Amino acid sequence: MKGKTTATTLPRTGDLIVRVLQARQMRKADLARKLHAKNSIVNRFTNSNSMSLAKLAEISRLLGHNFFADLAATLPSDFTTLAAEDPFSEERARLQAEIARLQAENALMERLLRDR
């Protein structure tokens, strides 16, 4: 079925955790210490396809990494969410337009000074 997302198309949560640990040059034992858990527990997490949301939230907080955003990024963009929309999106767009205008103005000024 087109657009259907299943557990087989989502990244394995264990793989996501391992990638973050590797990027930070951390070992599974480091995460186990942060979790106050045995290494075997962390090995079970990192070898699993999924885990409880509560545990993933705890690991997210301990590592300062948003695994939920990683998972959400794999879903189709037309999926709905209960998350609040970005309150700064309009201001960000206005500022980006202003930056583009100022960059064009700056380029024009540089050309005028160069051609004098």
Side-chain angles (χ1 to χ4, degrees):
M1 178 184 285
K2 185 177 179 186
K4 184 176 180 183
T5 300
T6 64
T8 58
T9 61
L10 291 173
R12 294 176 67 247
T13 52
D15 290 345
L16 292 174
I17 293 169
V18 168
R19 285 176 44 205
V20 170
L21 291 175
Q22 289 172 342
R24 296 177 182 196
Q25 298 180 340
M26 292 177 68
R27 296 172 295 140
K28 292 177 187 178
D30 299 325
L31 179 56
R33 274 191 293 283
K34 286 179 175 280
L35 285 168
H36 305 289
K38 294 180 180 179
N39 290 348
S40 61
I41 300 292
V42 171
N43 281 330
R44 189 173 72 210
F45 291 152
T46 57
N47 290 323
S48 71
N49 289 328
S50 62
M51 67 178 58
S52 75
L53 294 177
K55 187 53 68 178
L56 189 59
E58 180 182 2
I59 294 170
S60 289
R61 286 186 190 98
L62 289 172
L63 295 179
H65 183 85
N66 189 343
F67 291 102
F68 296 98
D70 293 340
L71 292 169
T74 67
L75 298 173
S77 61
D78 62 339
F79 275 24
T80 61
T81 178
L82 295 176
E85 288 193 28
D86 181 2
F88 302 108
S89 61
E90 288 181 22
E91 178 70 4
R92 185 178 301 108
R94 187 189 68 74
L95 290 171
Q96 287 171 336
E98 178 72 6
I99 288 169
R101 186 188 67 75
L102 290 170
Q103 287 173 331
E105 185 178 306
N106 187 44
L108 174 62
M109 295 292 236
E110 286 176 347
R111 271 196 313 269
L112 288 172
L113 287 172
R114 206 175 30 246
D115 294 343
R116 283 186 3 172

